[in-house]
Amino acid sequence: MSFLNTMQGRYTTKKYNASKKIDSAQLEELKEIVRLSPSSINSQPWKFTFVRDIETKTKLAKASFFNEQKVLDCDTLVVFSRIDAIPLFEKQIEETLPEGAVGYYKQFLKPQPKEQIKAWFDSQTYLALGVFLSACAAMKIDATPMEGIEPDKYNSILDAKDYHALVGVAIGYRDEEDSNQPSKNPKSRRPLNEVVTTIN
């Protein structure tokens, strides 16, 4: 199957089959894939938490607004968090990145307000989210990205002192009755000529 076919078939799953589990080898592969995600200057200002523990999932579900049932029924909830402690991030890049990359950060980002620096961290983490969702689709694993969470409660439940939750992703396998799958609810996207321009 081509990647185009894969993307035509992927969708945001609304109802999961709670009894169908993801193979552990596939989960390990997903962990490595998301680790390899691109980021500006290879900054990697993120953490990905894979939650399968029922007790923890139940607590997170209660902090997920209308997404509660998806969190409860999915096989694994993956929490995408960006680094929240700027000094920790600066220590990280000083230890791991080449001088040019660190110089870019110091010249263009460090002088910005903290809120702007953290917004830049957010942007990098969303790049990883795109990679992750595409990988799930290619592996025929259903996924639901959810910004409908209570980040502060997520942080507390996960004891994430230096990181801040941005989005949760429920992954697993769809319930065959899920009304949002493309066979029941065809994809709706703007026409190609409205979103893509070619300059030859």
Side-chain angles (χ1 to χ4, degrees):
M1 181 183 290
S2 72
F3 190 65
L4 174 58
N5 293 144
T6 297
M7 294 308 291
Q8 288 168 335
R10 80 145 299 279
Y11 76 107
T12 297
T13 304
K14 300 296 185 184
K15 187 176 181 182
Y16 282 89
N17 179 343
S19 64
K20 192 171 181 181
K21 302 302 179 184
I22 301 172
D23 181 76
S24 58
Q26 284 190 303
L27 279 176
E28 293 307 309
E29 188 174 341
L30 279 172
K31 292 174 186 177
E32 180 64 8
I33 288 168
V34 76
R35 185 185 75 87
L36 293 170
S37 297
S39 59
S40 178
I41 66 167
N42 199 23
S43 53
Q44 304 172 71
W46 51 43
K47 180 171 281 188
F48 314 108
T49 306
F50 285 63
V51 183
R52 301 189 91 184
D53 174 68
I54 299 299
E55 184 179 345
T56 307
K57 272 178 62 183
T58 300
K59 291 177 182 177
L60 292 168
K62 291 176 181 175
S64 301
F65 298 118
F66 52 84
N67 291 308
E68 181 174 357
Q69 198 61 48
K70 301 181 192 76
V71 175
L72 291 172
D73 291 341
C74 73
D75 176 83
T76 303
L77 176 67
V78 185
V79 182
F80 283 63
S81 302
R82 59 114 161 106
I83 202 164
D84 201 47
I86 293 174
L88 178 61
F89 172 75
E90 291 175 350
K91 181 176 183 290
Q92 174 182 299
I93 64 172
E94 289 276 4
E95 292 175 351
T96 61
L97 297 186
E99 183 179 341
V102 175
Y104 174 88
Y105 170 79
K106 288 181 176 179
Q107 181 177 354
F108 296 105
L109 293 164
K110 189 175 175 65
Q112 302 296 324
K114 287 183 181 179
E115 293 76 15
Q116 187 128 351
I117 296 172
K118 290 182 180 183
W120 184 77
F121 294 163
D122 292 355
S123 296
Q124 310 317 308
T125 306
Y126 275 90
L127 287 175
L129 175 63
V131 170
F132 184 78
L133 293 175
S134 297
C136 286
M139 295 167 71
K140 300 189 184 307
I141 295 171
D142 293 310
T144 309
M146 302 172 293
E147 288 185 305
I149 64 172
E150 296 181 76
D152 290 339
K153 290 183 180 179
Y154 265 53
N155 296 339
S156 177
I157 293 164
L158 298 174
D159 194 27
K161 294 181 176 65
D162 295 320
Y163 291 84
H164 180 76
L166 292 178
V167 60
V169 184
I171 59 173
Y173 296 101
R174 72 191 71 176
D175 185 294
E176 290 306 317
E177 299 305 312
D178 185 2
S179 62
N180 202 44
Q181 53 191 308
S183 61
K184 299 177 184 290
N185 182 25
K187 276 182 172 293
S188 175
R189 295 292 189 272
R190 291 168 57 199
L192 185 67
N193 66 348
E194 290 186 9
V195 297
V196 176
T197 300
T198 301
I199 301 174
N200 290 317

